Amino acid sequence: MFKAVVPARYASTRLPGKPLLDIAGKPMVVRVAEQARLSKADEVLVATDHPDIASACTEHGIDVVMTRPDWPTGTDRLAEVVQARQWADDTVVVNVQGDEPLIDPDLINLVATTLAHGDQDIATCGHPIFDWSEFKQPNVVKIALKENMEALYFSRAPIPFPRDGFSAEQTTEQQRKSGIGIRHVGLYAYKARFLKTYQNLTPTALEELESLEQLRALAHGFRIKVCIIHESPLPGVDTQADLERVRSLFKTKLG
């Protein structure tokens, strides 16, 4: 059993009011919550700072927790929910991003189960990268793994760096089978005990340099388990083009 929380912030640089944008007759945040409800979560909540988002969720029967408007990240918003609901330290909380209306419920279950069955603080996931151009892109976050499938490091740089293969962009037989590297998928499950301490963790130089929030947890000694999926999840919504693509996919899905 676990909790699924959808942080939904009204302000967005590229798409203002993004959680309320219509997707096949329902606000995007509602579509995300409905996908989360198809998982095995025993509770699904939307955490928001805006009354219009809260009203839209309530209208569709989705539980809402109002949070402070000035949190810098969705993780901060989750931490406030954990404190407000007084969840036990070992409660597993999955952060379902509010711009992922096509999130696979099985993927939510996977990260939750991965964390519940281990003694780590956080779980996330990734999938193999087979394309060299993708491997080198800074907007593709890569994971270097320990032998026990815990994260050693996350980076926008191509890691682990294949010294000989990279210069010639040649792929070994092993790389053709398992991939050049692992692309991080930004879905997280947390133990509530971690979220209760998160806001007291000072930002770190590596986190700020790479602009990767998860590096704060690693730098402070928290452990992140990584489960591997075989394919990239369906797209989220960051731009107008993304929105039109998702609308088209929903139109096909709903017939």
Side-chain angles (χ1 to χ4, degrees):
M1 304 294 279
F2 62 93
K3 316 293 184 184
V5 180
V6 182
R9 184 172 64 97
Y10 187 85
S12 172
T13 304
R14 293 181 178 178
L15 292 172
K18 182 162 66 169
L20 297 176
L21 294 175
D22 181 84
I23 296 178
K26 293 182 181 179
M28 178 159 56
V29 66
V30 172
R31 291 293 186 190
V32 175
E34 288 178 341
Q35 287 297 104
R37 281 180 164 179
L38 296 176
S39 74
K40 295 180 180 178
D42 63 336
E43 193 170 359
V44 176
L45 307 171
V46 168
T48 187
D49 60 353
H50 201 280
D52 289 351
I53 297 174
S55 295
C57 292
T58 301
E59 181 182 337
H60 289 87
I62 296 165
D63 199 4
V64 177
V65 175
M66 295 299 296
T67 60
R68 281 171 41 178
D70 56 345
W71 289 126
T73 70
T75 310
D76 290 294
R77 216 170 291 283
L78 257 69
E80 183 178 350
V81 172
V82 166
Q83 297 285 5
R85 291 298 174 108
Q86 298 183 324
W87 287 334
D89 284 356
D90 61 351
T91 303
V92 173
V93 184
V94 179
N95 181 348
V96 182
Q97 294 187 39
D99 56 5
E100 299 278 353
L102 294 168
I103 184 74
D104 184 351
D106 289 337
L107 185 55
I108 297 173
N109 293 336
L110 177 62
V111 294
T113 302
T114 297
L115 187 58
H117 290 172
D119 60 354
Q120 292 83 10
D121 309 286
I122 305 168
T124 189
C125 58
H127 64 82
I129 300 171
F130 294 97
D131 182 77
W132 281 98
S133 61
E134 181 182 2
F135 186 54
K136 293 186 290 184
Q137 287 179 16
N139 64 330
V140 174
V141 178
K142 278 73 68 173
I143 316 172
L145 294 171
K146 300 179 183 179
E147 293 301 313
N148 65 356
M149 298 301 291
E150 287 184 8
L152 177 65
Y153 191 67
F154 296 82
S155 183
R156 298 183 182 279
I159 61 168
F161 189 95
R163 185 194 64 178
D164 297 325
F166 189 84
S167 59
E169 297 198 358
Q170 295 173 346
T171 307
T172 66
E173 181 63 25
Q174 180 60 33
Q175 288 170 336
R176 280 193 289 273
K177 290 180 179 178
S178 61
I180 307 162
I182 300 295
R183 179 174 187 164
H184 181 225
V185 176
L187 178 67
Y188 293 95
Y190 301 97
K191 292 284 178 61
R193 64 172 179 260
F194 168 78
L195 291 169
K196 290 175 182 178
T197 65
Y198 173 76
Q199 289 160 330
N200 296 321
L201 301 178
T202 55
T204 64
L206 285 175
E207 169 194 358
E208 294 178 352
L209 181 67
E210 295 254 23
S211 190
L212 295 175
E213 179 189 344
Q214 61 270 40
L215 292 177
R216 186 187 310 181
L218 287 181
H220 285 279
F222 293 96
R223 297 157 60 200
I224 303 176
K225 186 75 171 184
V226 180
C227 51
I228 302 299
I229 57 178
H230 297 296
E231 296 180 355
S232 176
L234 290 170
V237 177
D238 288 321
T239 65
Q240 185 66 34
D242 294 335
L243 178 63
E244 296 307 324
R245 182 166 60 251
V246 168
R247 282 171 169 168
S248 177
L249 287 168
F250 258 93
K251 184 177 180 180
T252 301
K253 175 182 174 183
L254 298 175

